[in-house]
Amino acid sequence: MKPALLVAAGGFAGAVCRHAVALALPGGFPWGTLAANVAGSFALGVVIYETRLVGHLGREARLVVATGFLSSFTTYSTFAVQTASLSPTLAAANVGANYALGFAAVLAGRSVVRSLAGRSAETEGPE
Amino acid sequence: MNAFVLVGVGGVLGALSRYAVGLWLPGERWDTLVVNVLGSVALGVLTVGFADGAALLALFGTGFCGAFTTFSSFAVETVLLFEDGERRLAAGNAVVNLVGALVGVTVGGWAAALLG
């Protein structure tokens, strides 16, 4: 399939899911963006480290899942606009939460891939 | 039109535009910064200039700008820089994306207020 079609399909689904998450979570604080950014960072961590350490995911899968869905599901502009609209204390909390949890989620994704890769290496033996 | 459809269509356009920027810009390090800052300027314009246009905000704000800019790639790229021993670059990337996006939102809002 053409790369643009894969990115477009993923982009549609990612944006719609982000909107759904934002509607489902309570207002007052941008919980929806935080949830999408953290969950998406974890999933992209899994995809990127899988590509680096294992390599079973094909290019088409990465285009639809990573470039399309996850990059569209997570967002920086909405995070920035929401941060700018909050009181200084809540703005700092929002930045701290997105950054700390986002980076931690990437590392958690890395751990998942490493443990699965290690386990499959044990069962398959050295190549 | 249903807000989800508008958001989805905007998401398609945003994701394709981001993909195009990635293809045009050599070097993987700065394409995320470029889309994040540009998209923040655009969202700043939209939120101030079209505050009461719900359909427009769904299509171009939540949809396009939301999908054009990305947090997951930013987070992964920052962690990879740190892993590769580029700790200053990692910290710089984290700060420059934030400052660039916040300045972008502010400048976009000012521009919309001036022109509106």
Side-chain angles (χ1 to χ4, degrees):
Chain A
M1 213 200 278
K2 281 190 175 172
L5 278 177
L6 296 166
V7 173
F12 184 94
V16 166
C17 287
R18 172 165 39 82
H19 188 52
V21 169
L23 293 180
L25 292 173
F29 187 82
W31 297 110
T33 305
L34 176 63
N37 282 350
V38 174
S41 294
F42 170 78
L44 189 67
V46 170
V47 170
I48 297 297
Y49 282 101
E50 198 282 339
T51 303
R52 286 189 149 206
L53 303 173
V54 185
H56 286 322
L57 275 179
R59 183 169 167 269
E60 289 197 338
R62 290 204 304 272
L63 276 172
V64 72
V65 174
T67 313
F69 183 88
L70 292 173
S71 294
S72 177
F73 182 61
T74 62
T75 182
Y76 209 100
S77 55
T78 307
F79 157 71
V81 164
Q82 288 166 336
T83 300
S85 72
L86 293 168
S87 70
T89 308
L90 285 178
N94 193 44
V95 171
N98 273 270
Y99 269 44
L101 297 174
F103 295 145
V106 173
L107 296 174
R110 183 182 69 179
S111 300
V112 167
V113 172
R114 277 182 178 171
S115 66
L116 290 176
R119 206 171 301 163
S120 68
E122 282 165 25
T123 54
E124 288 169 19
E127 294 190 357
Chain B
M1 207 193 290
N2 185 307
F4 278 101
V5 175
L6 292 168
V7 168
V9 171
V12 170
L13 300 174
L16 286 174
S17 302
R18 173 169 35 76
Y19 181 57
V21 169
L23 293 177
W24 285 328
L25 280 181
E28 288 184 13
R29 194 162 290 168
W30 306 115
D31 54 354
T32 303
L33 176 64
V34 168
V35 295
N36 282 351
V37 173
L38 285 178
S40 295
V41 173
L43 193 61
V45 170
L46 286 165
T47 46
V48 172
F50 303 92
D52 45 9
L56 205 83
L57 283 176
L59 177 63
F60 292 110
T62 310
F64 182 89
C65 293
F68 182 63
T69 61
T70 182
F71 193 92
S72 51
S73 296
F74 154 77
V76 169
E77 285 159 8
T78 305
V79 169
L80 289 176
L81 281 173
F82 195 83
E83 263 186 0
D84 294 342
E86 304 274 15
R87 296 188 174 188
R88 273 191 195 169
L89 271 179
N93 194 48
V95 172
V96 170
N97 269 272
L98 182 66
V99 173
L102 289 175
V103 169
V105 164
T106 309
V107 168
W110 284 343
L114 278 174
L115 298 170

